[in-house]
Amino acid sequence: MRNFIYVFSFCAVLLSSCVEYHPYDTHIAGQTNVNAKNIALIEEQCMGKREVKFAVVSDSQRWYDELEDAVESINERDDIDFVLHTGDLTDWGLRSEFEIQRDILNSLNVPYVCLLGNHDCLGTGYKIFREVFGELNVSFTAGNVHFVCLNTNSLEFDATDAVPNFGFIRAEYSNLPAQSEKTVVAMHSYPYSDQFNNDVAPMFQEYLRKFPNLQFCVHGHGHRYRREDIFGDGVYYYECPNVGSDAYLVFTINDVGYEYKKVDL
């Protein structure tokens, strides 16, 4: 029923104002620069923690009801520090899609950070993403864990753009905050997927392994739950299922190691 309401409202506005919902419309209504504001909250609230617990949702592009259900489930818990959305908030990169997804995620009781997905790049989507959420590559430190969030959607960018951005990655492991003892890398498209620049996949992994105590990588894009040692080097890549499958992931990182769980709604 909620999906019907969203679609009906979208179509009504589309018919009444072609300009407002033009595919290249970048005039944002509501909150902007979401990631930077939430990152500041995460770092403040997790300062000094030796254990962090975070949820991962992904690929919510057409599943508004299910994203609301995931938000409700996370809000019912009292143990989540923050949420990562690993991309594909939209189907077509439209401003209205970004705004609706942002507003649903704003209902979370904890801060969240969104990554860019390949669908989010369509049209002027990546420009809208920058306005609503912020830069395409970001990092933050929660407790003693450094999180590196990367744009890996190479197919959506031409050769003049560095995707993945090795300069950003190199700067990250060369200038880690003093409290960073462990690392998690998050992305949307994963090595050897259709969107990744697979010519540089082995080098990408070499760069990631330079981070101190790399715990694991987490990504979306494949729309299913999967745990895979892609390079056979002991670094596991965890694929978060799409929200439409009524599931999300929860990771706990502490001095013992890390644990993970798939949560079915």
Side-chain angles (χ1 to χ4, degrees), residues 201-221:
M203 183 169 70
F204 176 77
Q205 186 71 353
E206 286 182 20
Y207 269 60
L208 296 195
R209 286 178 60 84
K210 293 179 184 290
F211 284 104
N213 293 319
L214 178 61
Q215 300 292 288
F216 55 85
C217 299
V218 63
H219 63 87
H221 188 56

Side-chain angles (χ1 to χ4, degrees), residues 3-265:
N3 267 336
F4 173 78
I5 293 172
Y6 285 129
V7 172
F8 178 81
S9 300
F10 175 81
C11 292
V13 178
L14 179 64
L15 290 172
S16 64
S17 177
C18 292
V19 174
E20 182 176 358
Y21 283 92
H22 188 279
Y24 300 109
D25 177 15
T26 59
H27 295 87
I28 308 302
Q31 187 181 10
T32 58
N33 202 28
V34 170
N35 282 349
K37 296 169 185 175
N38 282 340
I39 283 171
L41 286 173
I42 293 169
E43 294 191 326
E44 177 185 356
Q45 293 171 6
C46 293
M47 187 177 298
K49 283 193 171 187
R50 303 294 301 182
E51 178 174 290
V52 295
K53 180 172 288 193
F54 64 98
V56 182
V57 296
S58 194
D59 297 84
S60 56
Q61 56 237 72
R62 66 184 72 97
W63 291 290
Y64 299 108
D65 288 3
E66 291 82 358
L67 181 59
E68 286 190 336
D69 292 340
V71 167
E72 182 178 348
S73 172
I74 293 168
N75 284 344
E76 289 173 352
R77 306 172 64 111
D78 61 1
D79 59 346
I80 301 295
D81 292 306
F82 61 91
V83 174
L84 284 181
H85 190 304
T86 53
D88 272 4
L89 295 107
T90 71
D91 247 349
W92 307 106
L94 296 177
R95 173 178 65 84
S96 58
E97 295 178 287
F98 283 110
E99 290 172 349
I100 292 171
Q101 295 269 329
R102 174 204 61 198
D103 292 346
I104 294 173
L105 290 167
N106 278 345
S107 299
L108 284 163
N109 292 336
V110 295
Y112 66 92
V113 174
C114 289
L115 282 68
L116 182 76
N118 59 298
H119 279 261
D120 302 328
C121 299
L122 298 179
T124 53
Y126 75 96
K127 295 181 180 179
I128 300 171
F129 180 93
R130 274 197 173 113
E131 288 292 318
V132 177
F133 296 106
E135 291 303 316
L136 308 187
N137 298 285
V138 297
S139 67
F140 60 93
T141 303
N144 64 343
V145 184
H146 193 62
F147 288 81
V148 182
C149 303
L150 301 173
N151 170 28
T152 53
N153 306 291
S154 301
L155 193 63
E156 303 300 331
F157 293 84
D158 61 34
T160 61
D161 295 285
V163 181
N165 190 326
F166 287 102
F168 178 86
I169 298 170
R170 186 166 54 248
E172 283 294 306
Y173 65 66
S174 298
N175 300 283
L176 285 169
Q179 69 271 30
S180 299
E181 300 175 8
K182 303 177 181 182
T183 311
V184 171
V185 178
M187 65 200 78
H188 179 68
S189 302
Y190 53 96
Y192 299 116
S193 67
D194 59 328
Q195 284 284 329
F196 201 88
N197 179 1
N198 292 312
D199 290 338
V200 301
M203 183 169 70
F204 176 77
Q205 186 71 353
E206 286 182 20
Y207 269 60
L208 296 195
R209 286 178 60 84
K210 293 179 184 290
F211 284 104
N213 293 319
L214 178 61
Q215 300 292 288
F216 55 85
C217 299
V218 63
H219 63 87
H221 188 56
H223 287 227
R224 58 176 177 166
Y225 166 69
R226 181 170 53 170
R227 174 180 182 263
E228 184 177 7
D229 184 352
I230 293 177
F231 294 91
D233 59 0
V235 177
Y236 282 94
Y237 281 71
Y238 291 86
E239 182 174 300
C240 184
N242 66 58
V243 163
S245 63
D246 291 323
Y248 61 91
L249 303 181
V250 172
F251 292 89
T252 305
I253 305 175
N254 54 34
D255 290 339
V256 177
Y258 74 87
E259 298 177 348
Y260 67 96
K261 182 180 181 181
K262 176 175 172 280
V263 178
D264 295 307
L265 301 176

